[in-house]
Structures are given as structure tokens and as C-alpha cells.
Amino acid sequence: MTGVGEFELIEQLFANLAGPGGFSLKDDAAILSPTPGHDLVLTKDAIAEGRHYLTSDPPGDVARKLIRVNLSDLAAKGARPRAYLLSCAWGRGIDYVWIEAFCAGLKADQELYGIELLGGDTIRVEGPSVLSLTAIGDVSEGQMVRRSGAKIGDDVYVTGGIGEAALGLRVATGKLSLPQSDADALLQRYRVPVPPVSFGRALSSFANASIDISDGLLADLGHLCEASGVGVEIRRESVPVSQAVASALQHDDTLWTLVLTGGDDYQILFTADAERARDIEAAALRTATQVTRIGRIVPTGISVLDADGQPMSFAAKGFQHF
Amino acid sequence: MTGVGEFELIEQLFANLAGPGGFSLKDDAAILSPTPGHDLVLTKDAIAEGRHYLTSDPPGDVARKLIRVNLSDLAAKGARPRAYLLSCAWGRGIDYVWIEAFCAGLKADQELYGIELLGGDTIRVEGPSVLSLTAIGDVSEGQMVRRSGAKIGDDVYVTGGIGEAALGLRVATGKLSLPQSDADALLQRYRVPVPPVSFGRALSSFANASIDISDGLLADLGHLCEASGVGVEIRRESVPVSQAVASALQHDDTLWTLVLTGGDDYQILFTADAERARDIEAAALRTATQVTRIGRIVPTGISVLDADGQPMSFAAKGFQHF
């Protein structure tokens, strides 16, 4: 970072990430107000080198992961993403070229999701990088979808496929060998999640309860059920998996545990009344989102039934980033 | 951290920091809307162990510094603080007892400033701790005080005293010896800044431009002047210093450079029309805030006149946290 200080970096790289509202990159703070008739929805998640991403991951992918793990929270709450603030604590080995590529990744996702950088700060640390982002969206007044609204008898759905990132991390760390094209697909999904942002905006019109799947499907089922005071029963064979995950499971059936508890999916888990099935299908079609019914809400307990309809047992219910 | 995971920590320690709006500690995101007729003001600053605070600093003081460096930004923009989100990346040696004391510090400042915790996350890192906070306030619609409004002829003011934290850091690192009571006072100011939050809320009624002093008085004068397209002339003898700083300067006149460029003051630097002097004095009295006129806005250049009215020169204009 020889000769380039914080202010110059902000000027050179971050200034062109600020949208029309982003004067704050040259001020102490930013202004934001909700669209009339809307509430602002705020979320804040950090990712750390060596824990949520690997030192060798491409910097543009790290930037996009940072944005997307936060947009995943907004999507699960039914919110439209609008803007973000960023704190970068750059660790050892991060040079100007790295930060430049990181900013290019931010820029690409800003354009993809229609969001702008409002402000933040950059510091140096003698250790792993820690990157923290606050994402802000809006949702029609009083319509944020909470974890706590699930009712007995609700259908339980997930978006996308489950387990790709968890297997991708195994591939990245050399703990799982797969055919190259499968390995590449899973690794890429670990590096850059694809939260269902467009589908999320429709969520408040049919979902009773919702959570983003980050700790693992089983752990997040547990969080949703705990908040709602209910239980859940899912069928393992209904859990949607990509072709690469299916193929890995075919070779090694014990990977199911990792798929169901591995985390980093950044998909939406939600519940809805049975009679909303057609609306959900329509929203899925309209936003080109895979949506799968995996079970239903029951009075108590969290059960996964295997192919024979027998309850499975799990040692650990989720991956904790801690 | 044996046996205590992220979720348990959040439950045990952070849950009781959440106010009525803080359901989000058990959800993916929080809702916030401005008071009618107001804009939300957002700012995000991180502090890192070994850079913005010392490993040996009391955890409650670290918590209060983290909150206050952010409230300082809100105060300088004329905003009333309302809420915050928090990302803690806890490094080596941080145990449950440390985090408990940290949370007690958060709690104390929440009560002092009338703010509540809305959400965030906690992770572990193999390195120094990095603590990032997003603070949210509100200000009457369109009334946020920007850096860019200074006009030629404006009076230039600062709140509080300058240089205390910079000398306090020297004391903490053993680079400056002072009588014990002076040393203690300066060290405490380094650890726990006292931003003029109440005075800040009056700022929009008289200030043309404003910035919080975090990089050092001279550097922040530079930022304000650059944003406003003007220059400034200040008199060194007008710069307010506490009794402890004055006494240190009496022993060593060369410490003036550190006082003027050292940073971490977390006071407000603002400009106003000369005819607003009486309003400013009234606001200062009403909020028990020390406010001092230190110079005026001129067309170009940043000059500090010494006791003899001669321009001083400085090698470094500010401390960069980088």
C-alpha cells in the first residue's frame, strides 16, 4: 500500500461506487428515507478471511459474497434492496490491485441489484481481513416477513438448491473429490451465492414466516420454528439439490448430513398457507426462481424423514460461524 | 469461549441490549422509519484492536469508544441518534468475561444517549478484534449539515478541547510522561471520547458547514475546506485546550504539532455566519458545551498563525488510521 493512504483510496476506488445519494463518501454520514408508504429494513453481516471466504478466493468474488450474504437477509424479509454502507478492515497481503478488483466486484453487483454505496470506512489490520456491510432495503409499511409467523399446517418451502456451498467448501479445502465440472460449479456457488432477490420482493404477499438459510437448513428450520413456537416435518427426498450435489450424493450417501446442515446456502426458507400454492408458483415463474415444497409445519419437533419415511437423526444441527 | 456458541452469546448478552424495536436480534433484519418530517442519517465506522484502541483497554471503554466515534459523526451532521447495528469480529484472547464487560459498556451508553441495538452479528477471527458499528439518527428533512457549505467570511468554531486524545495515546504507549492526574485525564479521553451529541442537535439551526474532528484538526479543516472550495485561517492561541494539555504544552512547546494534527478528538468543527454568534453561544450554554471561535474562512489556503501572528508549517496534516 506504499504511498497510497486511506483518503486517496477512497477517492480513487470507492468514489465511483457512490450513486447520486452517495455524497457521503466525502462527508461524515449519508441521508436515506424510505419510499413513501414503506419501512426501511436494515441488516448487517460481516465476513472474515479464512472463515467465510478463503485467502485465495478472487477479490471480486469476495466483494460479491459480502453484498449477497446481506441481500439474502433482505430478500428473506420481503424487502427491495436499495443501498449499503461498508467497513473494510484489510489484513495482511491486501494490496492496491486486490482492492481494485474487490471494488470491481462491488460495482458489478451494484449494477445487478440496483443498489448504491452510501458510505463507510477502510482501515488496516495486522491479521485476517474483516469486511462488514450494512444493507438497507424497503418493504411496504408493516409488511416485513418475520421468522415468527409460521402456523401449524403451513406448507414449508425453500428457494434454489441446498448444500451446494457446503460441498463447494469441501472441494475448495481438498476434502472432497468430484468430476471437474461438478467441482467447479460447487466451488463457484461457495464463493458467490445467488440469493433470490427478485422472488424475495414478492414474499410478503404470501409468506407467513421466513428466514434466510445461512447456518444450514436444519439450524434455520430450528430458528424459524423456535421464533414461531411450532415444529416442522420435512421429507429428505423433497429437498432440492442441483445436479452436482445429486451426483455427489449418489456416490456417497453420508454427504446428506452435510447438505442439510452445512450452511452458506443463502436461499429463502418460508412457510405459507396451503391455499397460496398457486400464487407462490406464479411468483416463482415470474422471477425464474426454483421454489420447492419440502414439508409442513407441525405442533412440535424438527423431523427429517428419509426415503423410507423414517426419522433421521443428526449430531450437529448447523454450522456456526464462530 | 468453551461451550458457548454465537447463538447463546447473542441470547445471553446482546438480547437485553435490544430495545422495543430490536426484535431483529432474533430475526434476519430490523425495521426503522424516520420520525415524520425527518430524514434518516446513517454512518459506519469500525475500530480495530491495536489501531484505534489498545489490547489492554477496559472492554467497557472499548464499547463506549465504538459507539461514540459514530455518534460523533451524527452530531456533526446535526442528527439525533436513534439506533445502531453492530458487527463484532472477536480476536484472540477475547473471552466471555470480556464480552460481558463490553456489553455492559454498550448498555451504559445506550442509556446515556437514548439509543437501542437493532441487530448485527458476531464472528471469531484469528487476529486483532475488529468492531464495526452503523449508527442511525434523524434530522429535520433537508437539514443535514454538510461539509460543503462553508462561505468566505464564515466564523470557524470547534467544540470541546483539542489534542487530549492524541496526548492520551502518547501517555498510554509510554511516549509521554506527565503528572499522574494529567496523565489519567488524557488517557481516559483517548479511551472514551465525549462527542457533543446534545449540541449537535442544534447545529442545523446555525451552521453552514460541519465535520467531526477524527483525523486531526488540521486534516479535518482541510476536508471541510476542500468540500466547500474555500480556505481557512486559524489562530493557534485560540485553539481550546484542557488544563492537562495546556500544562503539557507549557513544558514542551513542540507538542503543538501533535495537538493540531493528532486526531481522535471526536469534537465538531463548524462554520457559521458572523451574525449567528449569539445563537451559537445560547446553544452552547443550553447544552453545557464548550464552543470556541478559532478563526475564519478565507478564499484559499489553510493557515495556522502562531502566537506572533506568523504562519506555522506542518509536515503531516493529519493522522490516518491506515
Side-chain angles (χ1 to χ4, degrees):
Chain A
M1 204 54 54
T2 325
V4 182
E6 181 180 9
F7 306 124
E8 287 74 20
L9 268 177
I10 288 173
E11 193 134 338
Q12 288 168 29
L13 295 176
F14 288 95
N16 82 69
L17 296 174
F23 61 85
S24 66
L25 268 72
K26 295 191 172 186
D27 210 309
D28 301 281
I31 294 175
L32 194 72
S33 291
T35 316
H38 290 68
D39 293 320
L40 285 184
V41 178
L42 297 102
T43 188
K44 184 169 181 19
D45 268 341
I47 63 175
E49 181 185 352
R51 188 158 290 267
H52 304 84
Y53 67 93
L54 306 175
T55 305
S56 56
D57 284 347
D61 285 356
V62 174
R64 300 200 292 167
K65 184 166 197 170
L66 176 61
I67 285 183
R68 293 172 183 211
V69 302
N70 281 282
L71 294 193
S72 174
D73 284 320
L74 294 185
K77 302 294 102 180
R80 176 180 69 100
R82 289 188 52 191
Y84 67 106
L85 295 98
L86 187 63
S87 266
C88 298
W90 279 308
R92 298 188 200 102
I94 302 299
D95 58 13
Y96 185 85
V97 171
W98 199 99
I99 296 172
E100 198 171 25
F102 177 83
C103 285
L106 293 179
K107 182 87 175 168
D109 263 11
Q110 285 190 198
E111 284 164 10
L112 184 60
Y113 294 113
I115 56 177
E116 61 170 335
L117 178 61
L118 286 183
D121 67 343
T122 59
I123 58 175
R124 277 272 164 195
V125 289
E126 283 300 318
S129 295
V130 179
L131 310 168
S132 167
L133 190 143
T134 300
I136 306 149
D138 56 20
V139 69
S140 296
E141 229 166 77
Q143 296 300 301
M144 190 181 96
V145 186
R146 304 199 183 192
R147 293 185 181 179
S148 55
K151 301 196 311 285
I152 295 164
D154 276 4
D155 285 332
V156 175
Y157 296 86
V158 295
T159 62
I162 302 301
E164 291 166 62
L167 297 193
L169 175 57
R170 286 286 173 109
V171 168
T173 53
K175 291 178 186 152
L176 182 64
S177 281
L178 294 174
Q180 197 59 45
S181 68
D182 287 353
D184 288 347
L186 296 173
L187 183 58
Q188 189 52 25
R189 193 52 60 101
Y190 167 73
R191 286 180 177 160
V192 183
V194 186
V197 170
S198 300
F199 181 79
R201 292 180 61 180
L203 207 62
S204 67
S205 67
F206 46 71
N208 291 333
S210 176
I211 186 172
D212 93 310
I213 310 173
S214 55
D215 296 323
L217 177 60
L218 281 193
D220 289 315
L221 275 168
H223 297 145
L224 185 144
C225 287
E226 193 189 346
S228 296
V230 296
V232 69
E233 190 176 85
I234 69 165
R235 297 170 303 279
R236 192 187 77 179
E237 304 311 305
S238 302
V239 172
V241 291
S242 68
Q243 171 274 320
V245 173
S247 149
L249 286 169
Q250 218 162 19
H251 282 85
D252 180 1
D253 179 70
T254 68
L255 287 173
W256 263 115
T257 303
L258 189 62
V259 168
L260 296 174
T261 65
D264 279 343
D265 296 296
Y266 302 109
Q267 293 296 334
I268 302 177
L269 167 68
F270 67 97
T271 83
D273 292 339
E275 56 262 38
R276 306 311 302 272
R278 204 169 297 178
D279 302 332
I280 292 165
E281 196 181 340
L285 274 172
R286 199 171 61 242
T287 59
T289 305
Q290 181 187 356
V291 179
T292 311
R293 190 158 74 85
I294 60 167
R296 64 193 178 92
I297 296 295
V298 297
T300 56
I302 295 174
S303 336
V304 182
L305 307 182
D306 66 15
D308 305 319
Q310 296 304 307
M312 299 173 68
S313 66
F314 295 91
K317 276 199 187 132
F319 172 67
Q320 294 190 13
H321 293 299
F322 196 71
Chain B
M1 202 57 52
T2 325
V4 183
E6 181 180 9
F7 305 124
E8 288 74 18
L9 267 176
I10 289 172
E11 193 133 340
Q12 287 167 32
L13 294 176
F14 287 95
N16 82 68
L17 295 173
F23 61 83
S24 67
L25 268 74
K26 295 192 174 186
D27 210 310
D28 301 282
I31 294 175
L32 194 71
S33 290
T35 317
H38 289 68
D39 293 319
L40 286 184
V41 178
L42 298 102
T43 187
K44 183 167 179 25
D45 268 341
I47 64 175
E49 180 185 353
R51 189 158 291 264
H52 304 84
Y53 67 92
L54 306 174
T55 305
S56 57
D57 284 347
D61 284 357
V62 174
R64 299 200 293 167
K65 184 166 198 171
L66 176 61
I67 285 183
R68 292 172 184 211
V69 301
N70 280 283
L71 295 193
S72 175
D73 284 319
L74 294 185
K77 302 295 101 181
R80 175 180 70 99
R82 289 189 52 192
Y84 68 104
L85 295 98
L86 187 64
S87 265
C88 297
W90 280 308
R92 297 187 201 104
I94 303 298
D95 58 14
Y96 186 84
V97 170
W98 198 99
I99 297 172
E100 197 171 27
F102 177 83
C103 285
L106 294 178
K107 181 87 175 170
D109 264 12
Q110 284 190 199
E111 282 164 11
L112 184 61
Y113 294 113
I115 56 178
E116 61 170 335
L117 178 61
L118 286 184
D121 68 342
T122 60
I123 58 175
R124 278 273 165 194
V125 289
E126 284 299 320
S129 295
V130 179
L131 310 168
S132 167
L133 191 145
T134 299
I136 306 148
D138 57 19
V139 68
S140 296
E141 228 166 78
Q143 297 299 301
M144 190 180 95
V145 185
R146 304 197 182 193
R147 292 185 181 179
S148 54
K151 300 196 311 284
I152 295 164
D154 276 4
D155 286 333
V156 176
Y157 295 86
V158 294
T159 62
I162 302 300
E164 292 166 62
L167 297 194
L169 176 57
R170 286 286 173 107
V171 168
T173 53
K175 292 178 185 151
L176 183 63
S177 280
L178 295 174
Q180 196 60 45
S181 67
D182 287 353
D184 289 347
L186 296 174
L187 182 59
Q188 188 53 27
R189 193 52 58 102
Y190 167 73
R191 287 181 177 160
V192 184
V194 186
V197 171
S198 300
F199 181 80
R201 292 180 59 180
L203 207 62
S204 67
S205 67
F206 46 71
N208 291 334
S210 176
I211 187 173
D212 93 311
I213 310 174
S214 54
D215 296 322
L217 178 59
L218 281 192
D220 289 315
L221 276 167
H223 297 146
L224 185 144
C225 287
E226 193 190 346
S228 296
V230 297
V232 69
E233 189 176 85
I234 69 165
R235 298 170 303 279
R236 192 186 75 178
E237 305 310 305
S238 302
V239 171
V241 291
S242 68
Q243 171 274 321
V245 173
S247 149
L249 287 169
Q250 218 162 19
H251 283 86
D252 179 2
D253 179 70
T254 68
L255 287 173
W256 263 116
T257 301
L258 189 61
V259 167
L260 296 175
T261 65
D264 278 343
D265 295 297
Y266 302 109
Q267 294 295 335
I268 302 176
L269 167 69
F270 67 98
T271 84
D273 293 338
E275 55 263 37
R276 307 312 302 272
R278 205 168 296 178
D279 302 331
I280 293 166
E281 196 181 338
L285 273 171
R286 198 171 63 241
T287 58
T289 305
Q290 181 186 355
V291 179
T292 311
R293 189 158 74 86
I294 60 168
R296 62 190 181 94
I297 296 294
V298 298
T300 56
I302 295 174
S303 336
V304 182
L305 307 182
D306 68 14
D308 304 320
Q310 297 304 308
M312 300 173 67
S313 66
F314 296 92
K317 277 200 185 132
F319 172 67
Q320 294 189 12
H321 293 298
F322 194 73

